[in-house]
Amino acid sequence: FDKLLTFPAERAAELMLEAVKTRRPRLLIGLSAKVPDVVARVAPMSFGMLERRASQLVRLARTVRR
């Protein structure tokens, strides 16, 4: 799970610099940013529920690890 939430800093910096150069108003880096963005755009009313469920799963995973 932790590997899914990481993105190489060097690559993120490259993407940010390129976005600034091309004057992109929006930049999403990594799947952990892109997936919630797509879900919120496709189903805006459902996103809050999905976010709460994801938070519950993260808390559950943390308690299981202990």
Side-chain angles (χ1 to χ4, degrees):
F1 186 75
D2 290 337
K3 288 182 181 181
L4 293 175
L5 297 178
T6 60
F7 196 87
E10 297 82 17
R11 181 69 181 129
E14 290 172 6
L15 292 172
M16 286 181 228
L17 290 173
E18 187 62 31
V20 169
K21 286 179 188 175
T22 59
R23 296 180 161 256
R24 287 182 58 193
R26 183 178 178 89
L27 174 66
L28 299 172
I29 297 177
L31 284 177
S32 61
K34 292 177 185 175
V35 171
D37 182 66
V38 169
V39 172
R41 289 170 182 265
V42 172
M45 299 301 285
S46 309
F47 183 69
M49 181 186 68
L50 291 172
E51 187 177 30
R52 285 190 295 279
R53 294 286 165 93
S55 296
Q56 290 170 352
L57 288 174
V58 168
R59 277 189 250 120
L60 178 62
R62 287 179 183 159
T63 58
V64 169
R65 275 196 244 167
R66 293 179 189 174

